[in-house]
Amino acid sequence: MILSSAIRAYVYGEAVDMRKSIDGLSQIVAAAMGMNPLSGQVFVFIGRRRDRAKLLVWDRHGFWVLYKRLEAGRFTDPARLHADGIAMSELVAWLEGIDLSRTRRLQTLDVSVVA
């Protein structure tokens, strides 16, 4: 599984029962998020206490589920992230505990010719 910058992460904005497995999470992606769980994008689910996260991704041969449990602290509010998806770099920072609402990204350049 390679998580490149072309892949987006979509955060589900509501708390999820962390006992859900691949099938249950896939149903949330399809029914509640209106997306295709087989798209290769990363889908992120957060538990009620916001100390656990599950990531679901399809990689051509099957699903991956990654699970993270924080031993101290909580993830910042996922509801602010779920609208348009986030870049993989932002997902990694968020999983590391960085509050993305307090950071700013450099302006993206639209360049067509190298000078």
Side-chain angles (χ1 to χ4, degrees), residues 2-10 40-41 86-88:
I2 298 175
L3 300 177
S4 74
S5 61
I7 296 174
R8 306 267 312 152
Y10 296 92
Q41 304 302 322
I86 58 175
M88 291 309 299

Side-chain angles (χ1 to χ4, degrees), residues 7 11 20 25 30 44 48 74 77 79-80 98-99 114:
I7 296 174
V11 181
K20 286 194 180 292
L25 296 174
V44 182
R48 182 180 48 81
R74 296 169 27 149
D77 187 9
R80 291 184 292 192
I98 296 171
D99 184 353
V114 177

Side-chain angles (χ1 to χ4, degrees), residues 10-27:
Y10 296 92
V11 181
Y12 186 59
E14 298 177 29
V16 172
D17 182 350
M18 287 288 105
R19 296 175 293 181
K20 286 194 180 292
S21 63
I22 290 170
D23 295 331
L25 296 174
S26 295
Q27 288 176 347

